[in-house]
Amino acid sequence: MIRVVVDRAPIDAGAEAAILERGGAGAVATFTGLVRADDGVDVLELEHYPGVTEHALRTLANEASERWHLLAATVVHRVGPMRPGEGIVFVGTAAAHRAAALEACAFLIDRLKTDAPFWKRETRGGTSSWVEARDSDNAAAARWRAEPSG
Amino acid sequence: MKVIYFAWVREQIGVGEEEVSPPGDVATVAALVHWLAARGGGHREALASPERLRAAVDGVFAPLDASIAGAREVALFPPVTGG
């Protein structure tokens, strides 16, 4: 089962994990990305490309499901304004065994960062700026293209 | 065709989307960017450095040398920063 959600509402990571755990898998891996509280950001705002974003996430989830024979994959991404400590993104995978679940989870968050149309804007002390893309994110995504099928 | 802008590209141009009718010799994303930048003002400001831009043609990420022949929607935006 593929579950993709892009929404302004806060992410309930526990509820999302519980859905995956009910599916009869031997292993569930999850990743939650949070707004960092330690670098002075007051508000983080996520803009996206409606329709295209959901399609990109679904394409990645389908690719992960085929490559690692997943029983289920969930990608939930929040958009709009959020505060430090709140969840930005949840990725969860369910598989028969841990290696597939863990690798597919890492694949999804790494590739999501370069393949899905989201843009972050930070506000610190009343001043807003768009977050620059990082080369390290491109490198993390590229390693999943370079490696043979898992 | 419809052109859609995101993030600082949208802010500098001042609109989120617009209908445009480029001439027939504007055949690629890069040519469209060049043609739009020639409007001056916010368009020039946002689109003057194509190497800072990324694009999608009809909802699919595409390089700047991609064709826009028959495209209904071209999106121009900075490198993505989700996750």
Side-chain angles (χ1 to χ4, degrees):
Chain A
M1 187 189 77
I2 304 289
R3 174 172 159 77
V4 169
V5 178
V6 178
D7 195 17
R8 296 174 70 88
I11 296 171
D12 187 340
E16 295 296 342
I19 293 172
L20 291 165
E21 289 165 3
R22 283 199 294 270
V28 169
T30 71
F31 170 85
T32 307
L34 305 167
V35 182
R36 269 185 294 278
D38 60 2
D39 55 2
V41 172
D42 300 309
V43 178
L44 183 71
E45 186 159 5
L46 265 290
E47 179 170 327
H48 78 120
Y49 187 171
V52 174
T53 308
E54 291 86 344
H55 180 73
L57 297 179
R58 193 164 288 278
T59 299
L60 286 176
N62 281 326
E63 185 177 342
S65 289
E66 288 181 15
R67 185 163 166 181
W68 284 280
H69 308 292
L70 301 180
L71 298 168
T74 298
V75 181
V76 183
H77 207 299
R78 194 168 172 197
V79 293
M82 55 202 87
R83 297 200 169 268
E86 294 185 325
I88 305 170
V89 60
F90 172 93
V91 174
T93 54
H97 299 283
R98 70 182 185 282
L102 287 166
E103 286 184 21
C105 188
F107 163 91
L108 281 171
I109 186 61
D110 283 345
R111 288 283 301 276
L112 180 157
K113 282 184 165 281
T114 59
D115 289 27
F118 293 100
W119 299 272
K120 289 191 181 104
R121 179 166 56 183
E122 299 173 332
T123 302
R124 287 184 177 82
T127 302
S128 292
S129 60
W130 291 96
V131 173
E132 298 269 342
R134 297 188 303 183
D135 288 342
S136 60
D137 287 339
N138 288 325
R143 84 190 161 103
W144 294 107
R145 295 190 180 88
E147 286 177 9
S149 183
Chain B
M1 71 177 62
K2 183 159 78 173
V3 186
I4 304 185
Y5 310 113
F6 291 102
W8 54 256
V9 178
R10 170 180 55 74
E11 288 186 334
Q12 291 179 5
I13 288 176
V15 297
E17 61 180 68
E18 57 187 332
E19 284 292 331
V20 302
S21 300
D25 61 340
V26 174
T28 64
V29 175
L32 178 68
V33 167
H34 185 75
W35 180 74
L36 288 166
R39 294 179 170 194
H43 287 82
R44 190 199 309 277
E45 182 188 7
L47 306 175
S49 302
E51 71 279 4
R52 299 178 66 205
L53 300 174
R54 301 294 181 269
V57 177
D58 288 331
V60 178
F61 284 17
L64 291 185
D65 62 1
S67 170
I68 58 169
R72 296 181 308 276
E73 182 173 294
V74 176
L76 300 173
F77 45 80
V80 300
T81 55

